[in-house]
Amino acid sequence: MDDFISRLENIKTIVNFDQKAIGDMKTKEASINLKKVALEKGNTKLLSLRADNKEDLAILTKQKSDQNLLALKLDALENKYGAQLVIDEAIVARQALAAKQVGKSVKASSSNTVQDSNIVIKNAAIKYTASDLDLLARLITAEAGGESYNAQVAVGAVVINRVRSGSFPNSISAVINDKANGVYQFTPVLNGNINRTAQAGTMKAAIEALSGTDPTNNSMYFYSGSTPPGSPKSASIRIDHLTFLGM
């Protein structure tokens, strides 16, 4: 009997030990599960941060690309307008030199009369200066140097008509250097041919145009070749290789 009781006690001890061990294991399992949940949350947060960082990096990369593109555009604009500034400065310098040279022999007055030792122009169509006369002659040289005298007078007349129209600047130099949408109206001003010395014949044509001669019937424009598409044929006048148009 004592032996049986002793065995029961041993079994009870073993059962209690097993139960305690099982309880400890469950406690550890619960702790492990809690840590696992915490790790999963941490991993989820890290993945979210990684995605956010990736998105931020993409945004920064695009911004950098946009900035580089903007810098290239700014460089292109700087080069473009820098070159245009050089052209403008060269034109101004050339015109100033021409005015100084012509001014020695040609005198302008407020009565629209310009004269030198050989030329006297009275009752000119518009007021102008010595530099205007030289500039007009140089434009005629560049635009119609190879055309007939009548065509040369016609080119000068277009400039005079613009000055008188009220729709363009009110001086010869301003009309010749006028721009539309940032582009010079007369090609020789843009390409530099305006800086060539005027021919004797074109100076005479400029003087005649200033005297009021107008073979173009008050034209405001002229083109090399035939009438541009869309222009009314009735409004055009052809002189040599040039076509003259009104407004």
Side-chain angles (χ1 to χ4, degrees):
M1 186 68 176
D2 291 337
D3 184 56
F4 177 74
I5 293 172
S6 177
R7 287 183 179 181
L8 286 176
E9 290 294 334
N10 288 336
I11 292 172
K12 185 177 180 181
T13 299
I14 292 171
V15 169
N16 289 336
F17 179 81
D18 290 343
Q19 289 178 344
K20 184 177 182 304
I22 291 171
D24 291 341
M25 290 178 65
K26 288 183 177 180
T27 300
K28 289 181 180 180
E29 182 181 10
S31 177
I32 290 172
N33 288 335
L34 289 174
K35 291 180 179 179
K36 182 179 179 181
V37 170
L39 286 173
E40 288 177 349
K41 288 183 178 180
N43 188 46
T44 300
K45 186 175 181 180
L46 287 174
L47 290 175
S48 177
L49 289 173
R50 182 179 179 183
D52 291 342
N53 288 338
K54 187 175 181 180
E55 183 178 351
D56 291 342
L57 180 61
I59 293 173
L60 290 174
T61 301
K62 185 178 184 304
Q63 289 177 344
K64 183 178 180 181
S65 177
D66 292 343
Q67 289 174 352
N68 290 337
L69 181 60
L70 179 60
L72 291 174
K73 289 182 178 179
L74 290 175
D75 288 342
L77 287 174
E78 183 178 359
N79 291 335
K80 175 183 177 181
Y81 290 109
Q84 186 63 57
L85 181 60
V86 171
I87 293 174
D88 291 345
E89 289 177 346
I91 291 171
V92 171
R94 178 64 180 84
Q95 291 176 358
L97 178 60
K100 183 177 180 181
Q101 292 174 341
V102 176
K104 294 179 180 179
S105 59
V106 182
K107 180 179 180 181
S109 71
S110 59
S111 62
N112 292 0
T113 299
V114 176
Q115 64 180 19
D116 65 10
S117 58
N118 299 313
I119 302 172
V120 175
I121 305 175
K122 295 182 178 180
N123 299 320
I126 59 172
K127 292 182 179 181
Y128 64 99
T129 65
S131 61
D132 285 335
L133 174 60
D134 176 69
L135 183 61
L136 181 60
R138 285 189 280 117
L139 177 70
I140 295 172
T141 298
E143 292 280 14
E147 304 294 331
S148 68
Y149 178 75
N150 194 41
Q152 293 175 357
V153 175
V155 169
V158 167
V159 176
I160 305 305
N161 291 339
R162 287 192 178 192
V163 174
R164 300 175 66 182
S165 70
S167 299
F168 293 89
N170 61 0
S171 71
I172 290 175
S173 61
V175 164
I176 292 176
N177 290 297
D178 191 23
K179 294 180 180 179
N181 298 321
V183 179
Y184 285 110
Q185 295 280 287
F186 294 96
T187 302
V189 181
L190 178 62
N191 62 26
N193 287 339
I194 191 71
N195 296 318
R196 295 178 180 176
T197 302
Q199 301 170 356
T202 58
M203 177 63 75
K204 181 180 177 182
I207 292 170
E208 184 164 345
L210 282 165
S211 299
T213 301
D214 182 7
T216 73
N217 193 25
N218 295 318
S219 292
M220 300 287 182
Y221 303 90
F222 66 88
Y223 303 88
S224 177
S226 59
T227 305
S231 299
K233 294 288 185 180
S234 60
S236 64
I237 296 176
R238 184 71 179 268
I239 304 177
D240 296 346
H241 297 94
L242 301 177
T243 300
F244 297 83
L245 299 171
M247 289 296 290

